[in-house]
Amino acid sequence: MTIDTKEMITIDALVLSNWDRDFINMLQKGGVTCVHACCGLWENARETLSKVAEWHRFFEEHSDLVMPVKTGEDIAIAKKIGKIGIILGAQNTSALEDELGLVSIFNELGVKVMQLTYNNQNLIGSSCYEETDPGLSRYGKNVIAEMNRVGMIIDLSHVGTKTSLDTLAISSRPVAITHANPDWIYPTKRNKSEEVLTALRENKGVLGVCAYPHLINGADTTLEEFCDMIARTADFMGIDHVGIGTDLTHNMSVDFLAWMRMGRWTHEIDYGAGSKASPGWPEWPEWFQTPVDFPNIANGLAARGMTYDEVSKIMGGNWYRFFTEGFKAKKELEKCVSLT
């Protein structure tokens, strides 16, 4: 079964890939409207500023093909004019260091998403790989409140269970898990428990189901199996709370893989979501090798029995709704409510 995705807004809620014009062309061929692009993992404030500066230069040099996204309306514009909208985000809050005021600074610079922790405990909370998770720190609670205030999306993808549950309990606004799967379908430390996903559902957040091979059954995972997981996740979360976050790592170097996993915090090999048996970049399933393959997911969901509207929500409609509201500052959101 083939489904026409031309009119759909298609959003990938996390990509960590080598951005060049070839990659942008792949996104266009795959009908992708908008991408959340990672611009930081372990970097401190000064280093993250340089990363953001590189992105601003990239936007200028490739303005015929891409545009920055800071509002939901920007996503609609990108769709209308045929450009790829790019949301900047960081997979750690290391850029904030210990300064609460940097939340609003990075938000103004266009970093609209921040994952609270990457693979280690930090000043805010703990990660899914730590042996214990004491939950949010006092500083972490302040960061949550500030992100809620300025309209920066909280991401819990690599975050530990207790820190995630603390966040979902105190956040005044919906929260994202941009790239993870239910751990009862694919058991791994990086995937999410029924307890966390229940809390996310009650928070009215969105889960981006993930095609990263280490979070499914590797390259042998079939499209039918992946789409079955999406359907089962939608049954659990509700159709309005599931999107796509591939965590695609296209054309990335081995040196970057070492930085991604080990940063500066260890001299020993750390495999992250991988293992000693699978230490390098994983091989991706044949049905999702590059962004050109995005229609395969839509067609797989249709073949699974989903309607056009349901497929449209999962392929990007839910993220579009979530980002449109989530990127607004709290004052702006309150003003909209008072006018209705």
Side-chain angles (χ1 to χ4, degrees):
M1 179 183 294
T2 300
I3 189 169
D4 186 358
T5 61
K6 289 181 181 178
E7 300 304 315
M8 288 183 184
I9 287 179
T10 298
I11 297 176
D12 191 339
L14 198 281
V15 162
L16 182 58
S17 293
N18 184 28
W19 283 83
D20 55 22
R21 289 185 77 85
D22 287 341
F23 187 67
I24 299 169
N25 287 330
M26 290 177 190
L27 290 164
Q28 288 185 321
K29 288 178 182 177
V32 178
T33 309
C34 179
V35 175
H36 166 214
C38 175
C39 67
L41 295 167
W42 304 106
E43 289 82 357
N44 61 26
R46 181 63 185 84
E47 292 164 339
T48 304
L49 283 172
S50 291
K51 292 286 186 181
V52 173
E54 289 173 9
W55 271 105
H56 282 204
R57 196 159 62 249
F58 184 86
F59 292 139
E60 179 64 28
E61 292 173 353
H62 304 283
S63 61
D64 57 324
L65 298 178
V66 302
M67 60 174 281
V69 167
K70 296 182 182 180
T71 67
E73 290 74 18
D74 289 337
I75 298 173
I77 292 169
K79 178 68 176 177
K80 183 177 181 180
I81 65 178
K83 292 185 180 182
I84 304 297
I86 299 176
I87 302 164
L88 296 184
Q91 286 200 70
N92 205 344
T93 44
S94 54
L96 303 180
E97 300 183 8
D98 59 355
E99 188 167 348
L100 187 62
L102 291 183
V103 174
S104 63
I105 297 299
F106 280 110
N107 181 67
E108 287 293 324
L109 292 175
V111 180
K112 296 299 297 179
V113 183
M114 271 198 180
Q115 188 172 270
L116 296 186
T117 70
Y118 190 48
N119 288 352
N120 281 2
Q121 180 147 341
N122 62 20
L123 294 174
I124 283 171
S126 198
S127 94
C128 61
Y129 292 116
E130 297 288 0
E131 292 182 6
T132 59
D133 178 358
L136 282 174
S137 66
R138 290 183 296 165
Y139 175 53
K141 292 175 183 177
N142 288 337
V143 168
I144 298 301
E146 185 67 356
M147 292 174 77
N148 285 166
R149 184 184 73 83
V150 302
M152 182 186 284
I153 299 296
I154 297 164
D155 186 0
L156 300 177
S157 296
H158 286 242
V159 178
T161 296
K162 179 67 164 61
T163 301
S164 295
L165 292 172
D166 284 355
T167 302
L168 289 162
I170 71 168
S171 177
S172 64
R173 303 181 66 176
V175 169
I177 296 177
T178 61
H179 56 297
N181 299 318
D183 71 359
W184 63 90
I185 301 177
Y186 293 115
T188 172
K189 291 180 179 179
R190 265 277 286 109
N191 284 334
K192 299 303 178 182
S193 69
E194 184 173 336
E195 184 180 19
V196 169
L197 292 185
T198 297
L200 181 71
R201 181 182 66 205
E202 292 173 353
N203 167 266
K204 299 182 180 179
V206 175
L207 169 70
V209 291
C210 186
Y212 190 65
H214 289 316
L215 300 190
I216 50 180
N217 280 335
D220 293 333
T221 306
T222 66
L223 177 60
E224 291 75 18
E225 288 169 338
F226 186 71
C227 290
D228 181 67
M229 177 196 67
I230 295 175
R232 291 168 63 187
T233 305
D235 286 342
F236 180 82
M237 295 289 297
I239 193 67
D240 294 327
H241 302 288
V242 180
I244 304 291
T246 64
D247 204 6
L248 182 63
T249 51
H250 179 73
N251 198 24
M252 300 297 281
S253 70
V254 174
D255 287 344
F256 184 83
L257 178 63
W259 168 251
M260 183 181 83
R261 289 176 171 173
M262 294 173 281
R264 290 179 283 248
W265 64 271
T266 181
H267 294 161
E268 305 296 327
I269 295 175
D270 186 88
Y271 297 107
S275 65
K276 189 175 182 179
S278 181
W281 288 111
E283 182 182 350
W284 285 69
E286 55 84 21
W287 47 267
F288 197 82
Q289 294 284 306
T290 75
V292 173
D293 295 323
F294 257 96
N296 288 340
I297 300 176
N299 290 327
L301 292 173
R304 181 65 170 65
M306 287 193 176
T307 66
Y308 179 90
D309 286 345
E310 289 172 334
V311 174
S312 182
K313 286 182 177 185
I314 288 171
M315 294 304 295
N318 288 334
W319 282 126
Y320 176 53
R321 182 199 71 246
F322 179 87
F323 289 142
T324 298
E325 180 175 313
F327 289 159
K328 287 181 169 66
K330 198 169 185 178
K331 282 186 177 179
E332 186 181 359
L333 208 59
E334 291 168 350
K335 183 179 179 181
C336 291
V337 171
S338 68
L339 292 173
T340 57

